[in-house]
Amino acid sequence: MPNDKKASTSTKSAIQALVFDAYETLFDVSSVATSLEQKFPGQGAAVSAAWRAKQLQYTWLRALTGQYEDFWKVTESALVFVCNDMKLHVQGGLQVQPAPVERAARAKLMDAYLHLEPFPEVKQVLQSLSAQRLAILSNGTLAMLQGVVENAGLKKVFSQIISADEAKTYKPNPAVYELAVGKLGLDKHKIGFVSSNFWDVAGAKAFGFRTYWVNRSGAPEEELGVRPDATLRSLSDLGSDSF
Amino acid sequence: MPNDKKASTSTKSAIQALVFDAYETLFDVSSVATSLEQKFPGQGAAVSAAWRAKQLQYTWLRALTGQYEDFWKVTESALVFVCNDMKLHVQGGLQVQPAPVERAARAKLMDAYLHLEPFPEVKQVLQSLSAQRLAILSNGTLAMLQGVVENAGLKKVFSQIISADEAKTYKPNPAVYELAVGKLGLDKHKIGFVSSNFWDVAGAKAFGFRTYWVNRSGAPEEELGVRPDATLRSLSDLGSDSF
C-alpha cells in the first residue's frame, strides 16, 4: 500500500525534517485571480490559470536550456506573454514595449504574488508541527518567499527557507532538491517532502525524498512513472502521527 | 531587423542544411482530433489540445529529472492522464488498469499519431528545396518518425531523420540539437532550424542554430529572452531565396 497515508506511520522515526513546496502547497496561487479580475473583468480565473501554467512552463524550459532567469522575472515574463496571447489590455495596455502606466499595472499584478493567501488549514497545521524541523524549498526567489511568508504571519514556523535561485535552476532538476540536503544536513531518505504539485512530488521522489502529495482537488495522478509515498486531502492529514 | 524574413538572405551562403522539427511544423498534430472526436463527440479538439500540452510537459519533466521514457510511451501516458483528468470514457473506458478493450481503443488513438496529416504546403515546399540537405530532428522515436514520413509520402526528401531518442532526452536539452551537428557533420552555425514550436526555436537559437519560426496562427512570441532569426507565416516563406 505505497500510496496509503497510514503507510507513512511505519517510517515515522526515519523522517527528521519536513520540507514544503510553497506555491499551490502552502499559498494559493489562484488568489491572484482577485487582482486579475479587477483588471480583466470576467477573466480573472482564466488569466490566473494561464499565468501559472506559463510560469511553470518557462521554468522547465529555462532549466533545460540553462538560460536561467530568476522566478520573479520568469513570473513577470509569463504574465506579459499571457496578456499578449489573450489580447488583454489594461488601462494603458500590458502589451509589448510597456509605457510607464503599463509597467505600473504590471507591478500591481506582480505585487499580488507577494500577498498570496495561505490555504485555510496552513497556519494551524504548521504550528501544530512546529516541534519538528520545517523548511520551505521553492522555485521562488528568497525575496519572494520571505515576502509571502511574512505577509501570511508564518515567519516563525520555518527553520529555513530555501530558494532554487541558489542553484540557478528549477525543480524538478535534482540540483534543487539537493539544496535541501545540504542546508538541512540530513540524508535525503530522512527528509519528507510535501507538495501539491504532482510533478514536483515525482521529481522529489525520483531524487530520493519521502513524498507527500497534497491533492486538494481530487485530481488523478500524473502518468510520470512515479507515485507519492502518501496522498493527503489537505495539510491537515499531516498530523503529528503521519511522519 | 533580426526578426525579419529578408534578413535571412544575407546569410544565405552560410546555411548548408535545413533541419525541421516534425510535430506541428511538418505534421498537424491537431489532425488526431478527428479520431478523438469519434471517440469523444464534441470534445475532439479539446482533448487533442490537452493531449499535446501534456505530452510536451511530460517530455520536459522527464528530461529534467533524467527519467527518460521514449516518445511513444510518453505520448501514451499523456493520453491516459488526459482521459482520466477529463473523465473521458470510451467503450470499455480508458481509465486505470486497462482491460483489453480499453487497450484496443487506446491503440487506435495512438495509431493516429502515425498518420498525422502534413500541413498543406509541406510536400510542395520540401520538394522545391530538395536540392538542399534536408533533415528532421524530432522528439519522436525513429519508428514514429519513419511511420509518419512514409505515410505522408515524404520519405525521399530527407537525407536524415534524427530522433532525440538517440540522446535519451528531449528538446530543448542542448544534447538533442547536438545530435544534428554530429549527424550532419556541420558546424552549428551552418545549420538552419525550422520549427513552429517557439520553445523549440528558443532552444535551438540558444544552442547556436540559425532559426526560422513558422508562426501559422499569428501567435505572439514567447517571453523566453530569445528571438527567432526569421519568422515565417508558413513553410512557403522558406523559398530557395530565404537561406
Side-chain angles (χ1 to χ4, degrees):
Chain A
M1 304 278 284
N3 197 37
D4 182 343
K5 182 180 118 126
K6 289 176 185 166
S8 62
T9 3
S10 62
T11 57
K12 183 177 174 179
S13 58
I15 299 299
Q16 297 187 7
L18 275 185
V19 176
F20 294 81
D21 169 53
Y23 302 112
E24 294 196 65
T25 301
L26 301 176
F27 304 105
D28 187 355
V29 170
S30 73
S31 63
V32 300
T34 309
S35 305
L36 289 165
E37 184 68 26
Q38 288 171 1
K39 291 285 175 197
F40 314 116
Q43 295 187 91
V47 178
S48 170
W51 186 7
R52 171 65 174 167
K54 188 54 65 177
Q55 175 199 51
L56 289 176
Q57 189 186 109
Y58 283 1
T59 61
W60 300 328
L61 291 169
R62 284 187 173 278
L64 270 171
T65 57
Q67 308 282 304
Y68 181 78
E69 285 275 7
D70 77 29
F71 199 61
W72 183 259
K73 288 176 193 157
V74 164
T75 300
E76 191 165 22
S77 296
L79 175 61
V80 170
F81 175 80
V82 166
C83 289
N84 288 340
D85 192 44
M86 297 178 76
K87 298 181 172 55
L88 299 173
H89 299 262
V90 291
Q91 191 184 9
L94 260 171
Q95 303 284 17
V96 285
Q97 296 181 323
V101 180
E102 295 162 357
R103 276 198 290 272
R106 200 159 70 188
K108 195 171 171 188
L109 291 172
M110 286 297 294
D111 186 64
Y113 241 88
L114 301 177
H115 296 84
L116 297 175
E117 292 166 22
F119 287 97
E121 82 279 17
V122 167
K123 199 163 185 174
Q124 192 185 348
V125 170
L126 292 179
Q127 285 170 342
S128 76
L129 290 168
S130 62
Q132 318 290 340
R133 284 181 75 182
L134 307 181
I136 285 177
L137 177 66
S138 164
N139 278 340
T141 63
L142 209 50
M144 290 174 81
L145 294 170
Q146 285 169 339
V148 79
V149 164
E150 282 179 29
N151 288 326
L154 292 169
K155 194 179 174 183
K156 291 183 178 172
V157 300
F158 296 106
S159 64
Q160 299 198 56
I161 296 177
I162 308 164
S163 168
D165 189 47
E166 199 161 332
K168 303 295 176 204
T169 187
Y170 288 109
K171 301 179 194 174
N173 186 325
V176 178
Y177 303 113
E178 190 69 46
L179 282 178
V181 172
K183 295 275 181 183
L184 294 168
L186 290 172
D187 182 274
K188 59 189 175 184
H189 301 293
K190 294 182 177 172
I191 294 174
F193 183 78
V194 186
S195 181
S196 293
N197 295 291
F198 193 99
W199 58 267
D200 189 16
V201 165
K205 176 74 183 168
F207 175 73
F209 288 156
R210 180 165 184 82
T211 52
Y212 303 80
W213 180 38
V214 183
N215 183 16
R216 291 187 179 89
S217 67
E221 292 188 8
E222 298 277 356
E223 299 288 328
L224 287 164
V226 176
R227 301 193 68 201
D229 293 299
T231 297
L232 317 176
R233 291 158 302 175
S234 80
L235 288 185
S236 302
D237 286 347
L238 263 189
S240 54
D241 64 332
S242 69
F243 81 102
Chain B
M1 303 276 284
N3 197 36
D4 181 343
K5 183 181 126 202
K6 288 176 186 166
S8 62
T9 3
S10 62
T11 56
K12 182 176 173 179
S13 57
I15 300 299
Q16 298 187 8
L18 275 184
V19 176
F20 294 82
D21 169 53
Y23 303 111
E24 295 196 65
T25 302
L26 301 176
F27 304 104
D28 187 356
V29 170
S30 72
S31 63
V32 299
T34 309
S35 305
L36 289 165
E37 184 68 25
Q38 288 170 0
K39 291 285 175 196
F40 314 116
Q43 296 186 92
V47 178
S48 169
W51 185 7
R52 171 66 173 167
K54 187 55 66 177
Q55 176 199 50
L56 288 176
Q57 190 186 107
Y58 283 1
T59 61
W60 300 328
L61 292 169
R62 285 188 173 278
L64 270 172
T65 58
Q67 307 283 304
Y68 182 78
E69 286 276 5
D70 77 29
F71 200 62
W72 184 259
K73 287 177 194 156
V74 164
T75 301
E76 191 166 24
S77 296
L79 175 62
V80 170
F81 175 80
V82 166
C83 289
N84 288 341
D85 191 44
M86 297 178 75
K87 297 182 172 55
L88 300 172
H89 298 261
V90 291
Q91 191 185 10
L94 260 171
Q95 304 285 18
V96 284
Q97 295 181 323
V101 179
E102 296 162 356
R103 276 197 291 272
R106 200 159 70 187
K108 196 172 171 188
L109 291 171
M110 287 295 294
D111 186 64
Y113 242 88
L114 301 177
H115 295 85
L116 298 175
E117 292 166 21
F119 288 98
E121 81 278 18
V122 167
K123 200 162 184 174
Q124 193 185 347
V125 170
L126 292 178
Q127 284 170 343
S128 76
L129 291 167
S130 61
Q132 318 291 340
R133 284 181 74 183
L134 307 181
I136 285 178
L137 177 65
S138 163
N139 278 340
T141 63
L142 209 51
M144 290 173 81
L145 294 170
Q146 285 169 339
V148 78
V149 164
E150 282 178 29
N151 287 327
L154 293 169
K155 195 178 173 183
K156 290 184 179 172
V157 300
F158 296 106
S159 64
Q160 299 198 57
I161 295 177
I162 308 165
S163 167
D165 190 47
E166 198 162 330
K168 304 296 177 205
T169 187
Y170 288 109
K171 300 181 195 172
N173 187 325
V176 178
Y177 303 113
E178 190 69 46
L179 282 178
V181 172
K183 295 275 181 183
L184 295 167
L186 288 173
D187 182 273
K188 59 189 175 184
H189 301 293
K190 294 182 177 172
I191 293 174
F193 183 77
V194 186
S195 180
S196 296
N197 295 291
F198 193 99
W199 58 268
D200 189 15
V201 165
K205 176 74 182 167
F207 175 74
F209 287 156
R210 181 166 184 82
T211 52
Y212 304 80
W213 180 37
V214 183
N215 183 15
R216 292 186 179 90
S217 66
E221 292 188 9
E222 298 277 355
E223 299 289 328
L224 286 164
V226 176
R227 301 193 69 201
D229 292 299
T231 298
L232 317 176
R233 291 158 302 175
S234 79
L235 288 185
S236 301
D237 286 347
L238 264 187
S240 54
D241 63 332
S242 68
F243 81 102

Short mmCIF file of all heavy atoms in Angstrom, two decimals, chain A residues 17-20 133 135-138 159-164 166-167 171 173-188 190-193 204 207 209:
data_model
loop_
_atom_site.label_atom_id
_atom_site.label_comp_id
_atom_site.label_asym_id
_atom_site.label_seq_id
_atom_site.Cartn_x
_atom_site.Cartn_y
_atom_site.Cartn_z
N ALA A 17 12.92 15.86 9.06
CA ALA A 17 12.52 17.24 8.71
C ALA A 17 11.46 17.16 7.61
O ALA A 17 11.48 16.25 6.78
CB ALA A 17 13.72 18.04 8.22
N LEU A 18 10.55 18.12 7.66
CA LEU A 18 9.54 18.21 6.60
C LEU A 18 9.84 19.46 5.77
O LEU A 18 9.96 20.56 6.30
CB LEU A 18 8.14 18.33 7.19
CG LEU A 18 7.40 17.04 7.57
CD1 LEU A 18 5.98 17.38 8.03
CD2 LEU A 18 7.34 16.06 6.40
N VAL A 19 9.93 19.25 4.48
CA VAL A 19 10.23 20.34 3.55
C VAL A 19 8.99 20.57 2.68
O VAL A 19 8.48 19.64 2.06
CB VAL A 19 11.45 19.99 2.68
CG1 VAL A 19 11.70 21.08 1.64
CG2 VAL A 19 12.69 19.79 3.56
N PHE A 20 8.55 21.82 2.66
CA PHE A 20 7.32 22.16 1.93
C PHE A 20 7.63 22.95 0.67
O PHE A 20 8.40 23.91 0.70
CB PHE A 20 6.39 23.01 2.80
CG PHE A 20 5.86 22.30 4.00
CD1 PHE A 20 6.62 22.18 5.16
CD2 PHE A 20 4.59 21.74 3.99
CE1 PHE A 20 6.13 21.51 6.28
CE2 PHE A 20 4.09 21.07 5.10
CZ PHE A 20 4.86 20.96 6.25
N ARG A 133 11.41 19.94 12.55
CA ARG A 133 12.11 20.88 11.68
C ARG A 133 11.30 21.07 10.41
O ARG A 133 11.05 20.10 9.69
CB ARG A 133 13.49 20.34 11.32
CG ARG A 133 14.49 20.45 12.45
CD ARG A 133 15.83 19.91 12.00
NE ARG A 133 16.53 20.83 11.10
CZ ARG A 133 17.71 20.54 10.55
NH1 ARG A 133 18.28 19.37 10.79
NH2 ARG A 133 18.31 21.41 9.76
N ALA A 135 10.85 23.32 6.79
CA ALA A 135 11.53 24.21 5.85
C ALA A 135 10.69 24.39 4.60
O ALA A 135 9.74 23.64 4.35
CB ALA A 135 12.90 23.64 5.48
N ILE A 136 11.03 25.41 3.83
CA ILE A 136 10.42 25.62 2.51
C ILE A 136 11.50 25.41 1.47
O ILE A 136 12.64 25.85 1.65
CB ILE A 136 9.85 27.06 2.39
CG1 ILE A 136 8.54 27.18 3.19
CG2 ILE A 136 9.62 27.44 0.93
CD1 ILE A 136 7.93 28.58 3.18
N LEU A 137 11.14 24.71 0.40
CA LEU A 137 12.03 24.59 -0.77
C LEU A 137 11.20 24.94 -1.99
O LEU A 137 10.29 24.20 -2.36
CB LEU A 137 12.58 23.17 -0.91
CG LEU A 137 13.46 22.92 -2.14
CD1 LEU A 137 14.76 23.72 -2.08
CD2 LEU A 137 13.77 21.43 -2.30
N SER A 138 11.52 26.07 -2.59
CA SER A 138 10.64 26.60 -3.64
C SER A 138 11.43 27.21 -4.78
O SER A 138 12.58 27.63 -4.61
CB SER A 138 9.74 27.68 -3.01
OG SER A 138 9.14 28.49 -4.00
N SER A 159 12.38 26.75 9.99
CA SER A 159 13.78 26.89 10.38
C SER A 159 14.60 27.39 9.20
O SER A 159 15.61 28.07 9.38
CB SER A 159 14.33 25.56 10.90
OG SER A 159 14.33 24.60 9.87
N GLN A 160 14.17 27.05 7.99
CA GLN A 160 14.90 27.51 6.81
C GLN A 160 13.96 27.75 5.62
O GLN A 160 12.99 27.02 5.43
CB GLN A 160 15.95 26.47 6.39
CG GLN A 160 16.98 26.25 7.49
CD GLN A 160 18.23 25.59 6.98
OE1 GLN A 160 18.89 26.08 6.06
NE2 GLN A 160 18.59 24.48 7.59
N ILE A 161 14.30 28.75 4.85
CA ILE A 161 13.61 29.00 3.59
C ILE A 161 14.67 28.87 2.50
O ILE A 161 15.64 29.63 2.47
CB ILE A 161 12.95 30.39 3.56
CG1 ILE A 161 11.85 30.46 4.64
CG2 ILE A 161 12.38 30.68 2.18
CD1 ILE A 161 11.18 31.82 4.75
N ILE A 162 14.47 27.89 1.64
CA ILE A 162 15.50 27.56 0.64
C ILE A 162 14.95 27.86 -0.75
O ILE A 162 13.88 27.38 -1.12
CB ILE A 162 15.89 26.07 0.75
CG1 ILE A 162 16.26 25.72 2.20
CG2 ILE A 162 17.03 25.74 -0.22
CD1 ILE A 162 16.30 24.22 2.48
N SER A 163 15.70 28.64 -1.51
CA SER A 163 15.26 29.04 -2.85
C SER A 163 16.08 28.33 -3.93
O SER A 163 17.32 28.26 -3.85
CB SER A 163 15.41 30.55 -3.01
OG SER A 163 15.27 30.91 -4.38
N ALA A 164 15.38 27.87 -4.95
CA ALA A 164 16.04 27.27 -6.12
C ALA A 164 17.03 28.25 -6.75
O ALA A 164 17.95 27.83 -7.46
CB ALA A 164 14.99 26.84 -7.15
N GLU A 166 19.37 29.65 -5.56
CA GLU A 166 20.74 29.38 -5.14
C GLU A 166 21.43 28.39 -6.09
O GLU A 166 22.66 28.41 -6.25
CB GLU A 166 20.74 28.84 -3.71
CG GLU A 166 22.08 28.95 -3.04
CD GLU A 166 21.99 28.85 -1.52
OE1 GLU A 166 20.96 29.21 -0.94
OE2 GLU A 166 22.95 28.36 -0.92
N ALA A 167 20.64 27.51 -6.70
CA ALA A 167 21.20 26.54 -7.66
C ALA A 167 21.12 27.05 -9.09
O ALA A 167 21.61 26.39 -10.02
CB ALA A 167 20.47 25.20 -7.54
N LYS A 171 13.10 23.29 -10.11
CA LYS A 171 12.53 21.96 -9.96
C LYS A 171 11.91 21.55 -11.30
O LYS A 171 11.39 22.41 -12.00
CB LYS A 171 11.42 21.96 -8.92
CG LYS A 171 11.81 22.39 -7.52
CD LYS A 171 10.55 22.33 -6.66
CE LYS A 171 10.68 23.03 -5.34
NZ LYS A 171 9.39 23.06 -4.61
N ASN A 173 14.67 19.73 -11.49
CA ASN A 173 16.11 19.44 -11.61
C ASN A 173 16.62 18.97 -10.24
O ASN A 173 16.43 19.65 -9.24
CB ASN A 173 16.84 20.72 -12.05
CG ASN A 173 18.32 20.47 -12.35
OD1 ASN A 173 18.95 19.66 -11.69
ND2 ASN A 173 18.84 21.17 -13.33
N PRO A 174 17.25 17.80 -10.19
CA PRO A 174 17.70 17.25 -8.91
C PRO A 174 18.58 18.22 -8.12
O PRO A 174 18.63 18.15 -6.88
CB PRO A 174 18.50 15.99 -9.31
CG PRO A 174 18.02 15.63 -10.67
CD PRO A 174 17.58 16.90 -11.32
N ALA A 175 19.25 19.13 -8.81
CA ALA A 175 20.13 20.09 -8.12
C ALA A 175 19.36 20.94 -7.11
O ALA A 175 19.93 21.40 -6.11
CB ALA A 175 20.82 20.99 -9.15
N VAL A 176 18.07 21.15 -7.37
CA VAL A 176 17.26 21.94 -6.44
C VAL A 176 16.95 21.14 -5.17
O VAL A 176 17.10 21.64 -4.06
CB VAL A 176 15.96 22.44 -7.10
CG1 VAL A 176 15.11 23.23 -6.09
CG2 VAL A 176 16.29 23.30 -8.32
N TYR A 177 16.56 19.88 -5.34
CA TYR A 177 16.28 19.05 -4.16
C TYR A 177 17.56 18.84 -3.34
O TYR A 177 17.52 18.78 -2.11
CB TYR A 177 15.66 17.71 -4.58
CG TYR A 177 14.40 17.89 -5.39
CD1 TYR A 177 14.35 17.53 -6.74
CD2 TYR A 177 13.26 18.46 -4.84
CE1 TYR A 177 13.20 17.73 -7.50
CE2 TYR A 177 12.11 18.67 -5.59
CZ TYR A 177 12.09 18.31 -6.92
OH TYR A 177 10.96 18.51 -7.68
N GLU A 178 18.67 18.78 -4.05
CA GLU A 178 19.96 18.62 -3.37
C GLU A 178 20.26 19.79 -2.43
O GLU A 178 20.91 19.60 -1.39
CB GLU A 178 21.06 18.50 -4.45
CG GLU A 178 22.42 18.09 -3.93
CD GLU A 178 22.48 16.66 -3.43
OE1 GLU A 178 21.97 15.75 -4.12
OE2 GLU A 178 23.02 16.44 -2.31
N LEU A 179 19.77 20.96 -2.77
CA LEU A 179 19.96 22.12 -1.89
C LEU A 179 19.44 21.85 -0.48
O LEU A 179 20.06 22.24 0.51
CB LEU A 179 19.20 23.35 -2.44
CG LEU A 179 19.78 24.13 -3.61
CD1 LEU A 179 18.82 25.26 -3.99
CD2 LEU A 179 21.15 24.70 -3.25
N ALA A 180 18.29 21.19 -0.41
CA ALA A 180 17.69 20.93 0.91
C ALA A 180 18.55 19.96 1.72
O ALA A 180 18.69 20.12 2.93
CB ALA A 180 16.27 20.38 0.74
N VAL A 181 19.12 18.99 1.03
CA VAL A 181 20.01 18.04 1.70
C VAL A 181 21.19 18.79 2.33
O VAL A 181 21.52 18.60 3.51
CB VAL A 181 20.52 16.97 0.71
CG1 VAL A 181 21.60 16.10 1.33
CG2 VAL A 181 19.35 16.12 0.21
N GLY A 182 21.78 19.67 1.56
CA GLY A 182 22.92 20.42 2.05
C GLY A 182 22.55 21.37 3.18
O GLY A 182 23.24 21.45 4.20
N LYS A 183 21.44 22.08 3.01
CA LYS A 183 21.04 23.08 4.00
C LYS A 183 20.60 22.44 5.32
O LYS A 183 20.81 22.99 6.39
CB LYS A 183 19.87 23.91 3.46
CG LYS A 183 20.21 24.75 2.26
CD LYS A 183 20.80 26.08 2.70
CE LYS A 183 21.13 26.93 1.48
NZ LYS A 183 21.77 28.20 1.87
N LEU A 184 19.95 21.29 5.21
CA LEU A 184 19.44 20.64 6.43
C LEU A 184 20.47 19.70 7.04
O LEU A 184 20.34 19.30 8.19
CB LEU A 184 18.15 19.87 6.12
CG LEU A 184 16.95 20.74 5.71
CD1 LEU A 184 15.83 19.88 5.13
CD2 LEU A 184 16.42 21.54 6.90
N GLY A 185 21.47 19.34 6.24
CA GLY A 185 22.50 18.43 6.76
C GLY A 185 21.94 17.06 7.10
O GLY A 185 22.38 16.41 8.04
N LEU A 186 20.96 16.63 6.31
CA LEU A 186 20.33 15.33 6.55
C LEU A 186 20.43 14.47 5.31
O LEU A 186 20.40 14.98 4.19
CB LEU A 186 18.84 15.51 6.87
CG LEU A 186 18.45 16.13 8.21
CD1 LEU A 186 16.95 16.40 8.24
CD2 LEU A 186 18.84 15.19 9.36
N ASP A 187 20.52 13.17 5.52
CA ASP A 187 20.43 12.24 4.40
C ASP A 187 19.07 12.41 3.73
O ASP A 187 18.06 12.67 4.39
CB ASP A 187 20.57 10.80 4.95
CG ASP A 187 20.54 9.78 3.85
OD1 ASP A 187 19.41 9.36 3.47
OD2 ASP A 187 21.61 9.40 3.37
N LYS A 188 19.04 12.28 2.41
CA LYS A 188 17.78 12.56 1.71
C LYS A 188 16.64 11.63 2.11
O LYS A 188 15.47 12.00 2.04
CB LYS A 188 17.98 12.56 0.20
CG LYS A 188 18.51 11.30 -0.42
CD LYS A 188 18.86 11.57 -1.88
CE LYS A 188 19.51 10.38 -2.54
NZ LYS A 188 19.93 10.70 -3.93
N LYS A 190 15.89 10.88 4.97
CA LYS A 190 15.34 11.37 6.25
C LYS A 190 14.53 12.65 6.08
O LYS A 190 14.13 13.27 7.05
CB LYS A 190 16.49 11.58 7.24
CG LYS A 190 17.16 10.24 7.60
CD LYS A 190 18.27 10.39 8.61
CE LYS A 190 18.80 8.99 8.97
NZ LYS A 190 20.00 9.04 9.79
N ILE A 191 14.33 13.03 4.83
CA ILE A 191 13.58 14.26 4.54
C ILE A 191 12.22 13.90 3.93
O ILE A 191 12.15 13.13 2.97
CB ILE A 191 14.38 15.17 3.58
CG1 ILE A 191 15.65 15.68 4.31
CG2 ILE A 191 13.52 16.33 3.08
CD1 ILE A 191 16.61 16.48 3.43
N GLY A 192 11.18 14.44 4.52
CA GLY A 192 9.84 14.30 3.95
C GLY A 192 9.53 15.54 3.14
O GLY A 192 9.72 16.66 3.60
N PHE A 193 9.06 15.34 1.91
CA PHE A 193 8.80 16.48 1.02
C PHE A 193 7.31 16.55 0.72
O PHE A 193 6.71 15.56 0.29
CB PHE A 193 9.61 16.33 -0.27
CG PHE A 193 9.45 17.50 -1.20
CD1 PHE A 193 10.13 18.69 -0.96
CD2 PHE A 193 8.61 17.43 -2.30
CE1 PHE A 193 9.98 19.78 -1.80
CE2 PHE A 193 8.46 18.51 -3.14
CZ PHE A 193 9.14 19.69 -2.89
N ALA A 204 10.84 14.94 -6.64
CA ALA A 204 11.40 14.74 -5.30
C ALA A 204 11.52 13.25 -4.96
O ALA A 204 12.48 12.81 -4.31
CB ALA A 204 10.52 15.44 -4.27
N PHE A 207 14.33 11.80 -6.79
CA PHE A 207 15.56 12.24 -6.15
C PHE A 207 15.89 11.40 -4.92
O PHE A 207 17.06 11.16 -4.60
CB PHE A 207 15.45 13.72 -5.76
CG PHE A 207 16.62 14.23 -4.98
CD1 PHE A 207 17.85 14.45 -5.60
CD2 PHE A 207 16.53 14.46 -3.61
CE1 PHE A 207 18.93 14.92 -4.87
CE2 PHE A 207 17.62 14.93 -2.88
CZ PHE A 207 18.82 15.15 -3.51
N PHE A 209 13.60 11.67 -1.81
CA PHE A 209 12.85 12.10 -0.63
C PHE A 209 11.65 11.17 -0.40
O PHE A 209 11.15 10.55 -1.34
CB PHE A 209 12.29 13.52 -0.82
CG PHE A 209 13.32 14.62 -0.76
CD1 PHE A 209 13.07 15.84 -1.39
CD2 PHE A 209 14.52 14.47 -0.07
CE1 PHE A 209 14.00 16.88 -1.34
CE2 PHE A 209 15.46 15.51 -0.01
CZ PHE A 209 15.19 16.71 -0.66
#
